[in-house]
Amino acid sequence: MLRNEDIAGATQAVALFRNRVLPLLFAGYLLNFLDRTNISYAQLQMGADLDISLAAYGLGAGLFFFGYASVCVPANLALQRFGVRRWLAFMFLAWGLVSCLMAALQGVKSFYVLRFLLGVAEGGFIPAVNFYLASWIPPRFRSRINAVFIMALPLAMIFGGPLAGVLLKIDLGMQGWRWLFLLEGLPTVLLGLLILRLLPASPEEAHWLSDAQRRGLRAVMEAEAAPRQPAGSLPWTHGFAVFRQPLLWGLLLILLSAYAATFALAYFLPTILKNLYGITPLEIGALLMIPNVVALAFSYVVGHSSERSGDIRWHLAVVCLIGSGGFLLLPVAATVSLALFLAAVSIITGYTIAYYGPLNTALQNRIGAHAGPLALVTTIGSLGGFFGPTLTGWVMQATGGQWTLAARIFALTTLASAALAIVCVRNLGGARRAAAPSRA
């Protein structure tokens, strides 16, 4: 039974983590998403300059996820060998440099190669963060931490769009899209150096925690999470037995569908807006601030509500149902007005951000702090990042720029995800009651 002072200490420790550590991870995820999706704006110039068709662009966008998926598991096994701080710093430096090299693209082949290499460089980031959070944060606090972390995505799109529009206007010795890749890759390199200096690998290394806060964090973690051995003593196969559970595969299908929808939207929305309304990259970036501001607020509300209620099943199901409605509305909205189209995009963007908190919490709670299995989860989910953009590019190339079939497919997959969430997600109400505080 937990004591009141243990819960108070853990709450204080998590609050300090939010203030001191989460901003570094948040900035990393913001740059992670920016560096992988800035091609959506670069393509507005790059496609014509390098003769990259919509189908080739969709394939190149998706090839990122083949590289990503190929290293998730080995990268997180290496994390256990080298430690989270050094490994995260190495990944930041690697993907920042590859992102800068995108400025040197010469054609379709180099586009394919560098997109694949960027995926390889980024592949260990999310599973490493999942492992890090599952090691640091007790289950009762994870939903809001995950919700705050995922808000980096809409912020990346809010500021990334207008920034890309400005950078595309640069004409100093090379095309604007080349400056876009170079100037957005450099901050990632700098953040890697900060991570190496500032990130505490564990609560024991966090000099800003008191002994009481460390004890409270440890007590709540032991009461609510499955016991685990030190990472260095575990065989690489440890924890993979969890994949024998059918309900986990239902969660993975939800993740696969969400990745497909998220990155199809991220990579093709600027092109769709340009084709529909003939607007400039800067105008596109400014307009797309609207749905991402909506998504930011929606994600926070979902995460806050989920943590307060202790429910993740119905929160995830409702979010997926809302996303399905947005995809169904999108083709109709496009024929009515730009305002209604942006409203439909806002609904979908809200889904692509808000699903992450409850779904990631469900996965972390089911798997625990096991680096290999958490990495395999990201590997499986990232395959959706390949199929979503590739399918959308193929559909648009085959139909002369039409995308409505892809929208209907995503409407069906997100509707199926809502049903899977109801069946496969388990709330921790029982565990919370068992870990209720006792009077000391």
Side-chain angles (χ1 to χ4, degrees), residues 385-403:
F386 171 77
F387 290 115
T390 302
L391 168 69
T392 306
W394 179 82
V395 167
M396 291 180 67
Q397 184 72 27
T399 60
Q402 296 299 311
W403 45 268

Side-chain angles (χ1 to χ4, degrees), residues 76-364:
N76 249 32
L77 298 176
L79 177 148
Q80 294 183 88
R81 170 66 177 83
F82 297 107
V84 66
R85 180 174 55 249
R86 285 184 292 173
W87 191 245
L88 278 173
F90 170 76
M91 283 187 290
F92 278 102
L93 293 169
W95 101 57
L97 291 172
V98 175
S99 185
C100 290
L101 285 174
M102 292 284 290
L105 286 177
Q106 297 300 314
V108 173
K109 290 181 180 179
S110 58
F111 176 56
Y112 289 164
V113 169
L114 285 176
R115 283 294 295 177
F116 178 82
L117 290 177
L118 185 63
V120 170
E122 290 192 21
F125 175 66
I126 292 300
V129 170
N130 284 339
F131 173 75
Y132 185 63
L133 293 179
S135 301
W136 254 90
I137 307 298
R140 69 172 62 203
F141 301 107
R142 287 176 187 164
S143 187
R144 190 184 296 186
I145 292 288
N146 281 320
V148 172
F149 180 66
I150 194 63
M151 284 194 289
L153 268 64
L155 276 178
M157 302 303 288
I158 288 169
F159 296 108
L163 176 62
V166 171
L167 295 178
L168 287 173
K169 290 180 173 290
I170 298 176
D171 187 17
L172 296 173
M174 59 184 182
Q175 299 98 321
W177 62 267
R178 296 187 189 274
W179 283 109
L180 170 64
F181 287 130
L182 181 62
L183 295 178
E184 291 191 351
L186 289 174
T188 304
V189 175
L190 297 177
L191 185 60
L193 300 175
L194 286 176
I195 289 286
L196 190 60
R197 181 175 177 82
L198 300 177
L199 189 76
S202 67
E204 286 68 32
E205 290 189 13
H207 63 85
W208 32 265
L209 288 180
S210 67
D211 290 340
Q213 289 164 348
R214 289 192 187 91
R215 282 196 303 271
L217 197 62
R218 191 180 308 116
V220 176
M221 181 72 85
E222 289 173 353
E224 296 185 351
R228 64 186 182 94
Q229 299 169 259
S233 68
L234 299 175
W236 74 271
T237 55
H238 186 79
F240 282 96
V242 72
F243 289 96
R244 298 172 186 166
Q245 301 176 18
L247 294 182
L248 176 60
W249 286 97
L251 297 180
L252 294 176
L253 287 174
I254 299 172
L255 185 63
L256 191 80
S257 172
Y259 263 70
T262 297
F263 290 103
L265 190 74
Y267 287 132
F268 281 95
L269 192 53
T271 297
I272 291 170
L273 277 168
K274 182 182 178 182
N275 292 346
L276 282 174
Y277 305 106
I279 51 183
T280 68
L282 186 57
E283 290 170 332
I284 291 170
L287 285 172
L288 290 183
M289 293 177 70
I290 298 169
N292 286 291
V293 168
V294 173
L296 189 67
F298 182 56
S299 176
Y300 182 80
V301 169
V302 169
H304 186 70
S305 173
S306 177
E307 183 174 286
R308 284 177 63 87
S309 66
D311 171 80
I312 53 179
R313 174 195 291 151
W314 293 104
H315 282 75
L316 179 58
V318 170
V319 165
C320 292
L321 191 62
I322 288 171
S324 180
F327 277 115
L328 284 173
L329 176 63
L330 194 63
V332 176
T335 65
V336 177
S337 68
L338 174 59
L340 189 58
F341 181 81
L342 288 174
V345 170
S346 298
I347 293 171
I348 298 168
T349 307
Y351 151 72
T352 64
I353 303 302
Y355 86 87
Y356 183 90
L359 179 57
N360 213 38
T361 300
L363 288 166
Q364 289 171 354

